[in-house]
Amino acid sequence: MSSSLQIAPDKPKVILPNGLQALWFGFKLLNRPGLRLYALMPVLVNIIIFGLGFYTAYGYVEALRGQFASWLPAWLAFISYMLWPLFIISAGVIVIYTFTLITQLIAAPFNAILSEQVEAQLGVNTATEDANIDFWQALKTAVPREISKLLKSLKWLLLMLILSFVPVLNIVVPLIGAWLIAIDYLDYPADNRGLKFEQSLQIIEGQRLQHLIFGVLVSIASFIPLVNLFVVPAAVAGGTALWHRHTEQQFAASS
């Protein structure tokens, strides 16, 4: 696993980001000439999927608030307005995570190649890598893996949906969503190395707080207009750098 991680000898050592820095680090990487083209397709997919998603979700969330208000007696109607921000946040996180999964499923081959190109830019590779990942190779490996992750996350999506209706407890919905989002983006470099998802998850869980912070910041950025159009490739780039930071640390600790 991490014992195969190396820094390419012909490139300078790069200071890799922590969880707080990773997303911004990813945005800065996308501005590099060698990565702009690879980020284009995830951005286009993101625009289409999230545009349709938020347009559809708005109508359902508004109907949900009206239904919730109708269940309350008239003298408690003000509660629906007090709880409305929590419903918005919970519903927003569910929508973001759901459509992030859809976006990543469609853009999985491009994200895998972007992750590999980020590694090339950072001078990071492995002893077992002989050649760059091409589109068809990424298509054969990344898409089935995304489908597998989607199926495994259904139970968490159901839990998030149930908790979103429970006042106070729905505050944990954004944290669950942020953790799942972090796993999605941090998994690309592991997949590029042929690691099983369980192995990838073990590495990710080794730095829970750092990776949760990364996921929270990605979730927040997904709510910001215009910025959210570029979140997917930036999170792939930043997540790749963050993954390598922690695999390096694990390797150093075990040496």
Side-chain angles (χ1 to χ4, degrees):
M1 246 184 341
S2 58
S3 59
S4 65
L5 185 130
Q6 296 180 339
I7 299 298
D10 58 335
K11 295 197 177 183
K13 174 72 174 179
V14 176
I15 299 177
L16 299 175
N18 59 30
L20 193 62
Q21 302 163 334
L23 183 60
W24 178 241
F25 187 86
F27 274 112
K28 291 193 294 184
L29 282 177
L30 295 185
N31 196 41
R32 294 190 180 185
L35 292 178
R36 291 172 188 165
L37 180 62
Y38 295 100
L40 179 60
M41 187 55 68
V43 168
L44 293 177
V45 173
N46 198 34
I47 290 173
I48 295 171
I49 297 300
F50 271 83
L52 292 173
F54 278 107
Y55 177 79
T56 303
Y58 177 79
Y60 283 107
V61 171
E62 182 62 28
L64 177 63
R65 189 189 73 84
Q67 185 66 39
F68 177 73
S70 69
W71 293 339
L72 298 172
W75 62 278
L76 287 178
F78 70 95
I79 292 180
S80 67
Y81 294 98
M82 293 176 60
L83 296 178
W84 181 234
L86 287 177
F87 279 122
I88 284 289
I89 294 172
S90 299
V93 168
I94 293 173
V95 168
I96 286 172
Y97 180 66
T98 301
F99 283 94
T100 292
L101 287 176
I102 296 172
T103 300
Q104 290 184 320
L105 178 60
I106 296 172
F110 306 101
N111 288 338
I113 294 171
L114 173 60
S115 176
E116 193 265 347
Q117 291 298 320
V118 166
E119 292 173 328
Q121 288 271 342
L122 297 177
V124 181
N125 58 29
T126 63
T128 58
E129 288 180 307
D130 299 319
N132 290 339
I133 299 170
D134 60 30
F135 176 80
W136 296 111
Q137 180 184 352
L139 185 66
K140 288 188 293 185
T141 59
V143 172
R145 190 170 179 118
E146 287 300 321
I147 293 174
S148 175
K149 285 192 291 185
L150 175 61
L151 294 176
K152 290 178 180 178
S153 67
L154 289 178
K155 61 182 179 182
W156 294 106
L157 279 173
L158 179 60
L159 177 62
M160 290 165 66
L161 183 61
I162 293 172
L163 290 178
S164 67
F165 289 95
V166 183
V168 181
L169 288 182
N170 57 9
I171 197 172
V172 305
V173 172
L175 296 178
I176 296 174
W179 177 246
L180 295 176
I181 285 173
I183 290 173
D184 283 334
Y185 287 115
L186 288 160
D187 183 55
Y188 284 107
D191 187 23
N192 286 347
R193 276 151 187 77
L195 297 180
K196 295 181 179 179
F197 178 69
E198 290 72 19
Q199 294 174 302
S200 173
L201 191 60
Q202 185 178 9
I203 293 173
I204 295 169
E205 289 178 341
Q207 293 284 345
R208 286 187 179 89
L209 180 58
Q210 289 291 320
H211 296 154
L212 179 60
I213 291 172
F214 170 66
V216 168
L217 293 177
V218 173
S219 299
I220 293 172
S222 298
F223 279 97
I224 303 174
L226 297 182
V227 173
N228 55 14
L229 301 180
F230 301 93
V231 163
V232 170
V236 171
T240 297
L242 182 60
W243 189 88
H244 278 289
R245 174 191 174 96
H246 292 145
T247 51
E248 280 186 23
Q249 289 177 345
Q250 289 182 25
F251 175 69
S254 61
S255 298

